[in-house]
Amino acid sequence: MKYYDSKSDRIITTEELVNRYGTEFPVAELGIYYLSKQPDYVPIAFNDLLDGTWYPVESYTAMQVKALEALVRAGMSIAEATEALA
């Protein structure tokens, strides 16, 4: 599982959490929080949500690339997909 380490402004894994702090649960006093989703991308930022979790923000460019790839896999040409996303 992944968590947000607010002191280093990055993701920390359960393994790293156990090795560093001896626990597999986030500790708010240490600046470690649950993420609102488990990202499969490298976040460019983190947003504090009202429920106490942090949202890992994906870059817009990375999202565009994923959308373009999906449209091409669905049968569009690269030109058609690019135009559709414009």
Side-chain angles (χ1 to χ4, degrees):
M1 191 149 179
K2 299 174 184 176
Y3 305 92
Y4 175 55
D5 180 345
S6 64
K7 293 190 179 190
S8 61
D9 194 33
R10 68 178 184 88
I11 285 182
I12 185 171
T13 64
T14 301
E15 180 180 347
E16 200 175 352
L17 193 58
V18 169
N19 290 340
R20 186 179 288 174
Y21 301 110
T23 181
E24 59 185 75
F25 302 102
V27 181
E29 293 80 14
L30 297 173
I32 311 294
Y33 301 94
Y34 283 106
L35 291 170
S36 60
K37 68 180 277 182
Q38 294 292 300
D40 59 355
Y41 52 86
V42 176
I44 60 166
F46 297 89
N47 291 337
D48 186 8
L49 302 180
L50 295 176
D51 65 0
T53 64
W54 288 74
Y55 179 79
V57 179
E58 184 173 14
S59 81
Y60 180 72
T61 303
M63 292 171 61
Q64 275 187 312
V65 168
K66 287 180 184 177
L68 182 66
E69 290 171 348
L71 291 172
V72 169
R73 279 194 309 274
M76 285 186 168
S77 69
I78 291 177
E80 291 170 328
T82 302
E83 185 177 327
L85 293 175

